[in-house]
Amino acid sequence: VQLQASGGGWVQAGGSLRLSCAASGRTLWSYVMGWFRQAPGKEREFLAAIRWSNGNTKHADSVTGRFTISRDNAKNTVYLQMNNLKPEDTAVYYCAASSVFLPNPNAYDYWGQGTLVTVSS
């Protein structure tokens, strides 16, 4: 599975961004796709996950109501819509693929290259 994340950038507090993760591979249907982020000096943090096969989602409590994960099966792309962004959301954002539906980054086998999101106050 190959993953390509994009959509990061600079935004003012209160603004929105939509991250994309283009996936390729023969068995995408069996995978769970997740979004994580890592700020300098902090551990990688789970944000959201979605199961390709049925669209079931899970969101971290810290972003529920502001971030939404979705997928487009025709485009093999997973999105993370981020609204009402805050300076503390500044981090490198990663998409990843796993065979299990867990929030633990160690459960994810494949990772995209990361895309930087900077939120200014």
Side-chain angles (χ1 to χ4, degrees):
V1 176
Q2 292 81 46
L3 304 174
Q4 181 74 34
S6 61
W10 178 89
V11 64
Q12 285 190 320
S16 298
L17 282 175
R18 188 178 76 162
L19 305 183
S20 300
C21 179
S24 61
R26 293 184 299 172
T27 58
L28 289 176
W29 200 247
S30 64
Y31 280 92
V32 172
M33 300 295 296
W35 282 101
F36 294 79
R37 68 184 178 190
Q38 189 164 19
K42 294 189 175 182
E43 294 185 349
R44 195 160 294 191
E45 176 189 11
F46 169 78
L47 300 174
I50 187 167
R51 190 182 292 278
W52 272 115
S53 59
N54 60 13
N56 283 353
T57 62
K58 183 189 302 288
H59 293 80
D61 290 343
S62 60
V63 300
T64 296
R66 295 194 303 127
F67 292 9
T68 304
I69 191 170
S70 63
R71 78 198 194 298
D72 184 330
N73 289 344
K75 296 182 179 180
N76 284 349
T77 300
V78 175
Y79 303 99
L80 185 69
Q81 178 66 43
M82 306 187 295
N83 298 327
N84 190 22
L85 284 161
K86 305 174 182 179
E88 52 264 41
D89 293 319
T90 296
V92 177
Y93 284 68
Y94 299 90
C95 61
S98 173
S99 58
V100 294
F101 203 27
L102 292 173
N104 187 341
N106 293 330
Y108 287 74
D109 303 307
Y110 304 96
W111 291 83
Q113 82 287 5
T115 184
L116 177 63
V117 171
T118 304
V119 184
S120 65
S121 57

